Amino acid sequence: MSSVPLSQLTSLPTYASSSTSRLKSLYSDFTFQKQSNPTSYSSNVEWWRRTLEGALLRGWLSESHNTAAAPDRLVLHANGVSFADNFRVEGVGKPLSIPTVISELCSSKALIPLSDFLNASRSIYDPGWLPYRIASVVVGKPLWWALGQLGIVDTQAGAFGDSSTAERWKKVKGDYVVVSLLESAAERILERQRQKSTGNIADVLYNVDSFREEFAACAFEDAPLSDSDIKVMLKFLERDKHAVVVKGEVIKFLEQGVSETPEVTAVDSGILSLKTAVEKLQKQVDGLQHRIDERTRQISESLRQKRKEIALAQLRARKQLEEVRQKRLESLNLLESTLLRVETSAGDIEIMKSYESSTATLREILSHQLLQRDKIDETMDAMASANADAREVDDAIQMGAEMAQADASVDDSELEAELQALVQDVEKEKEKEEATAQAQRDRLAAGGLNAPMHTPASEETAQEGDATRQRETVAA
């Protein structure tokens, strides 16, 4: 396998941000750092994880990336020692620890062997999936540690011991599903399906070819889906996401929240056949129209060159194409109308199922004992009686309040007489003060002095305050 060009490698974010000294460290054999320097070991593994995913997503690591076939972008083909040649860098060499990285990523389930992924009946998210991994953790690691403590084995060597790079490659050689790339591509496919679905049954049905054509643009940004990618994607969507059901060539997307057991029915197969036929006829009509337009252009060109015989032959050919197009259009219209009737009938079945379910639900609710006629009459009578009792209580409280107010009433005439007496006392006091002030002014005048004709502001204020307090006392 030829190496990936350096210009491509340096376009990866991991390479663009790494110096030559850093690359030398990453390309060295850091297998034993897991025990001596776990932080550096984890950092190196993570760097290689992002590098492998980035290169695979761009189609650089597929076994068929030099052929006309679509490269795999979900399946990593770790085909042995030659795989490291993909990352050969002048002045640095080729990486020595990729087997260690692959083994570590398998332990963390970032990579899953392709055969295990396709053959497993349980979801990859099931904690009990692949029991041998649980055994390796529960039994293998404690046993290995115990043997290491006794000096029987060297725990520092890890799973590979001090075997050579070639021996390590023999243990990890194979094909692996990259889970993170699979998950992100699946989410984009599901989002695309949600956006395009209009509720018609035909919108959720595909065969492999139409699935590839419909979702290639969103899964990998206009990159085609390879056969391996489609096989892995459909298995993931069906088993792990419960988003599709696959039967033969029929792929059916499932609606969220549907409680019925998902299955592909004969109706689904028939609708998909009609849908496929309509799509094929539409492509034929489009192709014929393109050929007719090309003939029209050639006729015009021949007439401009005064090549009448050639123009006549092209006109005859265009006429034949138009006849074929007309036949295809009639067939297309017939198939489209048939598909529409089938979809309508299938939709009517779903509507009737909803009616039936709603009727059963309503009857179950109406059969409740609280909604029986006798119980309703009894409840309403009890409510009327309770309301009557409440009104009687309110009337009694109102009557008692009125009686209490009558007992506590005071004669208004007595209050008025007392108020008038207080007002007269205040006026007499004011007249007395004015007489005293006048007498003082007369004495001053007799002595050749003039007294002020008004009471000082402070005294007026004090007098007004006293009068106000007296009125408030009377009112209280």
Side-chain angles (χ1 to χ4, degrees):
M1 180 180 291
S2 61
S3 62
V4 179
L6 181 61
S7 59
Q8 292 184 352
L9 286 178
T10 54
S11 67
L12 293 174
T14 50
Y15 278 85
S17 60
S18 299
S19 62
T20 303
S21 59
R22 172 62 175 156
L23 284 179
K24 290 181 178 180
S25 174
L26 291 163
Y27 275 51
S28 65
D29 186 0
F30 54 79
T31 303
F32 298 96
Q33 289 185 3
K34 186 172 185 178
Q35 301 295 332
S36 61
N37 191 351
T39 302
S40 176
Y41 178 84
S42 299
S43 176
N44 292 345
V45 170
E46 175 61 19
W47 189 93
W48 275 110
R49 181 192 66 80
R50 292 187 288 118
T51 298
L52 291 174
E53 291 180 359
L56 180 62
L57 186 60
R58 290 162 174 80
W60 300 344
L61 304 182
S62 175
E63 289 184 331
S64 58
H65 77 280
N66 288 326
T67 68
D72 296 333
R73 288 179 166 83
L74 297 178
V75 180
L76 178 69
H77 301 283
N79 51 3
V81 178
S82 60
F83 180 81
D85 292 333
N86 284 292
F87 302 96
R88 181 183 293 276
V89 174
E90 189 68 27
V92 178
K94 62 181 181 180
L96 301 177
S97 294
I98 288 184
T100 301
V101 173
I102 293 176
S103 177
E104 195 68 32
L105 294 179
C106 286
S107 299
S108 63
K109 294 180 68 173
L111 297 180
I112 298 176
L114 179 60
S115 59
D116 292 342
F117 182 89
L118 295 177
N119 296 327
S121 59
R122 305 175 69 173
S123 171
I124 63 173
Y125 301 115
D126 192 328
W129 190 69
L130 294 181
Y132 73 88
R133 289 188 179 172
I134 298 179
S136 66
V137 174
V138 177
V139 178
K141 288 186 177 180
L143 178 60
W144 191 264
W145 177 85
L147 294 175
Q149 296 300 308
L150 296 174
I152 301 175
V153 298
D154 181 12
T155 58
Q156 181 73 9
F160 292 121
D162 21 350
S163 58
S164 64
T165 300
E167 291 297 324
R168 296 174 187 175
W169 268 113
K170 289 181 181 179
K171 297 179 180 179
V172 299
K173 181 179 179 180
D175 300 328
Y176 299 89
V177 176
V178 182
V179 176
S180 61
L181 298 182
L182 175 61
E183 290 174 335
S184 58
E187 287 301 321
R188 288 191 292 269
I189 288 175
L190 293 176
E191 180 60 27
R192 166 64 179 165
Q193 176 62 25
R194 285 191 289 266
Q195 292 176 354
K196 73 175 291 289
S197 179
T198 60
N200 294 327
I201 297 178
D203 291 338
V204 301
L205 297 173
Y206 300 89
N207 55 27
V208 174
D209 292 334
S210 60
F211 183 91
R212 188 199 313 271
E213 182 178 356
E214 178 66 34
F215 298 109
C218 64
F220 302 120
E221 299 180 356
D222 293 326
L225 288 163
S226 69
D227 293 339
S228 296
D229 291 340
I230 289 180
K231 187 182 298 184
V232 169
M233 179 60 70
L234 291 178
K235 175 62 72 172
F236 180 71
L237 291 175
E238 182 178 21
R239 181 193 60 206
D240 305 305
K241 286 293 186 178
H242 305 291
V244 303
V245 58
V246 181
K247 182 179 179 182
E249 290 293 320
V250 182
I251 303 168
K252 179 180 180 181
F253 278 85
L254 304 177
E255 297 181 6
Q256 294 182 351
V258 176
S259 58
E260 297 181 357
T261 302
E263 61 178 353
V264 175
T265 63
V267 174
D268 296 328
S269 300
I271 292 176
L272 179 59
S273 298
L274 277 173
K275 177 183 176 182
T276 303
V278 168
E279 292 174 349
K280 288 181 178 179
L281 271 178
Q282 185 63 58
K283 291 180 179 179
Q284 291 181 19
V285 170
D286 294 340
L288 289 169
Q289 184 61 50
H290 178 73
R291 293 171 65 184
I292 291 172
D293 294 339
E294 182 64 22
R295 292 290 183 181
T296 302
R297 187 190 63 79
Q298 292 174 356
I299 292 171
S300 300
E301 184 68 22
S302 298
L303 291 176
R304 280 195 298 269
Q305 297 177 1
K306 297 182 180 181
R307 302 169 65 181
K308 188 175 179 180
E309 294 180 357
I310 296 177
L312 183 61
Q314 292 170 343
L315 181 61
R316 187 179 296 110
R318 189 184 71 174
K319 186 66 174 177
Q320 294 174 351
L321 289 173
E322 288 175 345
E323 292 176 356
V324 175
R325 182 192 61 179
Q326 184 60 33
K327 293 179 181 179
R328 294 293 183 268
L329 281 174
E330 292 175 358
S331 300
L332 178 61
N333 291 333
L334 178 60
L335 284 177
E336 286 180 337
S337 61
T338 303
L339 177 59
L340 180 60
R341 287 194 296 269
V342 171
E343 286 184 327
T344 302
S345 300
D348 291 340
I349 294 175
E350 296 300 323
I351 292 174
M352 293 306 300
K353 287 182 179 179
S354 298
Y355 287 167
E356 183 179 9
S357 175
S358 300
T359 302
T361 302
L362 181 59
R363 289 189 180 280
E364 183 177 357
I365 293 174
L366 293 176
S367 65
H368 196 278
Q369 60 179 1
L370 292 178
L371 297 180
Q372 303 307 307
R373 184 66 185 181
D374 295 341
K375 187 64 176 180
I376 293 174
D377 293 340
E378 179 183 349
T379 302
M380 299 309 295
D381 291 343
M383 181 179 292
S385 177
N387 287 333
D389 294 341
R391 284 194 297 271
E392 291 179 1
V393 172
D394 291 339
D395 293 342
I397 293 174
Q398 183 66 26
M399 185 179 298
E402 292 176 354
M403 294 177 62
Q405 184 176 3
D407 294 340
S409 62
V410 180
D411 191 355
D412 292 340
S413 59
E414 293 181 0
L415 291 176
E416 184 66 25
E418 185 175 354
L419 178 60
Q420 290 297 330
L422 291 173
V423 171
Q424 291 176 2
D425 291 342
V426 171
E427 290 179 350
K428 288 180 181 180
E429 184 67 25
K430 186 175 181 181
E431 291 176 355
K432 182 178 179 181
E433 291 177 352
E434 291 179 352
T436 303
Q438 184 62 38
Q440 186 175 6
R441 284 196 295 273
D442 292 342
R443 286 195 299 273
L444 292 175
L449 299 175
N450 293 324
M453 298 302 295
H454 59 82
T455 306
S458 59
E459 294 182 4
E460 290 180 354
T461 302
Q463 292 174 2
E464 293 177 357
D466 294 339
T468 301
R469 284 192 293 273
Q470 291 179 359
R471 284 195 294 272
E472 291 177 351
T473 302
V474 172

